[in-house]
Amino acid sequence: QGSVDCPNLEFEYGDADGHGAELAELYSYTEEPELSHNRRCFEEDFHTQVPDRRWLELDRAQQKAYVMHLLDGLEVVNRDKRLRVARAILYLAQGVFGDCDNEGDVLHWSRHNSFLLYQLGTFSAFLELLNMEIENSQACSSALRKPAISLADSTELRVLLSVMYLMVENIRVEQETDPPEWKTCRETFRMELSFPVHTEEPFALLLFTMVTKFCSGHAPHFPMKKVLLLLWKVLLFTLGGFEALQAMKVRRREELGLPPLPEDSIQVVRGMRAASPPTYAIELVEQQQQQQQQQQQQKRGHRSRRPLMKQDSLDIYNERDPFKNDEGGVDEEENDDMDSGIEGELDLMERDAIIPAMPAQRLPIERVSFPKGLPWAPKVRQKDIEHFLEASRNKFIGFTLGQDTETLIGLPRPIHESVKTLKQHKYVSISDVQIKNEEELEKCPMSLGEEEVQETPCEVLYRAMLYNLPQYMIALLKILLAAAPTSKAKTDSINILADVLPEEMPITVLQSMKLGIDVNRHKEIIVKSISALLLLLLKHFKLNHIYQFEYVSQHLVFANCIPLILKFFNQNIMSYITAKNSISVLDYPHCTVCDLPELTAESLEAGDNNQFCWRNLFSCINLLRILNKLTKWKHSRTMMLVVFKSAPILKRALKVKQAMMQLYVLKLLKIQTKYLGRQWRKSNMKTMSAIYQKVRHRMNDDWAYGNDIDARPWDFQAEECTLRANIEAFNSRRYDKPQDSEFAPVDNCLQSVLGQRLELPEDFHYSYELWLEREVFSQPIRWEELLHCQ
């Protein structure tokens, strides 16, 4: 894609895609024949129990009675009979499509049946069956012995997980027409998943355990796509989506007595529009060479005018793109070598051909329409005010007053004004308050007593995940690596295609094309679910307690999450976002109610008519947000971005004209600008302008110049070590309850001390009499001294 070929993408970011699309992604195209199998299992049983009637014609009592009959069938010992009943229940959850005329009816009955199934205890029954299947060592050992694993190895698991996913997704999604009993049912289900009653762990932990078991190689037949989709939706349901998170953040700030947020970040981002992407140095030079060949007679300055207009920093402000007729010079694949190093990009800019173009930067005044204001209110940290005052005092007085930000004696008037402005925009985050509280609890554990920890779904989940959290993060990143489009197939990588490959491999070209699309779609859905659930975990843990977030972040960084995400973006990102790896006629619920047209190679190649692939753009934004979360305010991790040469990779991602994606790319470029050198900044003025226009300002943050007090490379390792020590102190204080702590109460009662059982060594009875003689009988006891002793 050329740098200006991409149109603006009308994409609205949210917790998930549309309801129908989210249900469709549960099934692979190779599973399509199983839909009719489920229908047969249901109809054979239903017609024996309720002859000459349809499911839609039964009243509520009759429907309940039939579901109870099915649930009784799950109790039988025979595995095949149990599976047939489970398939009949799955057909109900899929919306009894055999009785429906259109897609809307299928989705309506799918929701209706999901609520009915939940109210009769189906979820608990399926949870027991799922536990049995996970522990089924016979299935694991047979899968391990097979040279190639296919759909057939995970049949039972896929049926169980599909029913559970449909129930979670249908109950999770709220609609205005929902009756009050459904709303009550939704809250009960959310509580059941968040705070387990019978088991010690939340349901999400069981799914995390499945992920680690799969990655360790002990259960290669687990259908990972379904597990990850269910895990993501369970976390989304129990913890809450982005809107709920924003509301919780506002509420938490009120509780802590902090001023309200300056703006709603979700709304600000929705109101942004995309900037036209910056061009590459190599594109400029290539275009100049082309124009030199075509216009030998013209003057050199005039010749370089057109391509250099692309570097103009003002065109971001224009309502229309003045360069829409320009041709992108070089395709990304051709200039990958240039992009692999920042220096390669910069050297070209030093050529003489570019210097005479200065007059081209004067644009006609009427074309420029400046925005009314910057989108974000500026923020200032307490640390920024302290640094500013320290520098001012050193300059004007010659000594400093530590963390005192009130005393301004001896400082000139402009400094007073500056401090006043900084304090007006001072922002205290919830994290700052939590860190301060943690420091006080560490200092005075006795006087401050036990900390009151609110029992939220997030807190319960963190406590359950804590001891195996590193393994969970490594497992998720392993699967993400295997599903990334830039990954090469290696013998030691895990096989994530167990639940998409059919038993018999395709014979015809058409079957091969269909399977190829299915495999690519399968990988895209895995990337989407992992990126979404990691972002959810990071955001919720950060709100719950900053050190929970830091613990997850550190393990992601240790597991090479930063280079993995950069590797993901080191591809033609436009072709990934516009990929057409879906066959809309085979998507559920369309394929259940419409006659399927005959598929041809041409129709498969054409794909759908969508401008972009929603899930791929969603995944890209999520991965960029994760990268931002990991690197924000962490100089050592920012240096990793520089070391892995992320600037050209990120700059290429700006070609996607979608405001939210551009914002997170620009944030990542902003934090490393000071390390990239003056030449890079000079060569990328359009990117610098975009950062200035779209990213929040920190009042005295000289990100564009490289004079940062914190940017001392020798402190980087110490920074990570200090953070790790603080995390360990927090985890041990809050979650380890040692019995013989130095602060544990002491037993002073003589009776209970004498009544304690003492552990004596095994050989004690051999020398018991000798010990009595030496220690007791041979020692004279002066009773009068004992009586007089106070």
Side-chain angles (χ1 to χ4, degrees), residues 10 48 128 208 214 218 233 262 270 334 403 475 690 723 728:
E10 298 300 322
T48 58
E128 284 179 26
F208 271 118
F214 171 80
H218 297 312
K233 290 303 166 62
R270 279 183 186 156
E334 292 170 22
Q403 295 179 337
L723 181 61
E728 284 173 0

Side-chain angles (χ1 to χ4, degrees), residues 150 184 252 352 518 563 624 757 763:
S150 68
T184 313
R252 183 69 62 86
D352 295 338
D518 206 3
L624 286 168
R757 285 185 64 83
D763 57 346

Side-chain angles (χ1 to χ4, degrees), residues 650-689:
L650 292 168
K651 202 178 145 195
R652 221 172 22 214
L654 285 174
K655 291 188 173 189
V656 181
K657 289 182 80 171
Q658 203 282 323
M660 191 170 188
M661 182 159 166
Q662 285 186 346
L663 172 68
Y664 289 108
V665 171
L666 291 169
K667 279 185 170 189
L668 287 164
L669 284 168
K670 178 184 173 179
I671 59 172
Q672 56 178 312
T673 303
K674 62 170 79 80
Y675 305 111
L676 295 177
R678 189 176 165 202
Q679 187 64 52
W680 187 90
R681 295 195 288 272
K682 205 165 108 183
S683 315
N684 291 277
M685 282 313 295
K686 189 170 173 186
T687 307
M688 302 286 280
S689 299

Side-chain angles (χ1 to χ4, degrees), residues 60-296:
R60 189 164 177 78
Q62 290 169 317
Q63 287 181 346
K64 278 186 173 181
Y66 181 68
V67 171
M68 291 305 290
H69 154 74
L70 285 178
L71 290 176
D72 288 341
L74 289 177
E75 303 292 328
V76 297
V77 177
N78 186 309
R79 190 180 174 84
D80 293 333
K81 284 182 182 174
R82 210 165 54 221
L83 179 61
R84 290 182 71 78
V85 173
R87 281 192 181 283
I89 293 173
L90 175 55
Y91 176 70
L92 281 176
Q94 285 170 340
V96 285
F97 47 81
D99 297 348
C100 297
D101 301 324
N102 57 52
E103 295 177 31
D105 288 350
V106 176
L107 294 176
H108 167 77
W109 281 102
S110 179
R111 288 195 87 221
H112 173 274
N113 294 343
S114 294
F115 277 99
L116 179 69
L117 289 169
Y118 172 68
Q119 286 163 344
L120 297 176
T122 310
F123 194 85
S124 307
F126 271 70
L127 184 55
E128 284 179 26
L129 290 174
L130 181 64
N131 275 308
M132 278 170 56
E133 278 303 321
I134 292 169
E135 299 302 322
N136 184 350
S137 55
Q138 189 181 349
C140 292
S141 57
S142 73
L144 284 166
R145 282 197 301 271
K146 283 190 177 180
I149 300 168
S150 68
L151 276 172
D153 297 293
S154 59
T155 307
E156 288 87 353
L157 277 168
R158 282 186 296 106
V159 170
L160 299 176
L161 290 165
S162 295
V163 171
M164 295 170 104
Y165 178 85
L166 287 167
M167 288 176 70
V168 168
E169 181 62 3
N170 279 318
I171 295 173
R172 179 188 75 81
V173 175
E174 297 180 34
Q175 289 183 3
E176 289 177 8
T177 53
D178 289 350
E181 63 173 301
W182 281 15
K183 291 176 182 174
T184 313
C185 194
R186 182 178 295 118
E187 287 310 309
T188 313
F189 192 24
R190 183 184 279 127
M191 295 296 284
E192 186 183 316
L193 291 174
S194 309
F195 305 104
V197 182
H198 305 298
T199 55
E200 291 299 312
E201 55 191 36
F203 177 55
L205 199 77
L206 177 68
L207 299 173
F208 271 118
T209 312
M210 287 183 79
V211 174
T212 48
K213 198 171 179 184
F214 171 80
C215 283
S216 64
H218 297 312
H221 64 297
F222 280 0
M224 234 345 84
K225 184 187 85 175
K226 285 185 170 53
V227 172
L228 290 166
L229 279 172
L230 179 55
L231 176 55
W232 167 37
K233 290 303 166 62
V234 166
L235 292 178
L236 189 56
F237 186 30
T238 55
L239 303 181
F242 299 122
E243 299 275 357
L245 192 73
Q246 188 73 6
M248 281 155 60
K249 195 173 179 181
V250 169
R251 200 165 56 246
R252 183 69 62 86
R253 288 185 69 83
E254 278 177 17
E255 289 167 7
L256 293 171
L258 296 173
L261 291 165
E263 69 274 294
D264 183 342
S265 54
I266 298 170
Q267 296 306 322
V268 173
V269 173
R270 279 183 186 156
M272 280 186 175
R273 62 181 192 83
S276 57
T279 190
Y280 281 93
I282 190 157
E283 288 179 359
L284 293 176
V285 174
E286 190 76 18
Q287 286 170 0
Q288 284 172 344
Q289 288 170 354
Q290 285 172 7
Q291 293 204 356
Q292 279 171 0
Q293 290 163 9
Q294 291 167 6
Q295 305 170 2
Q296 288 293 329

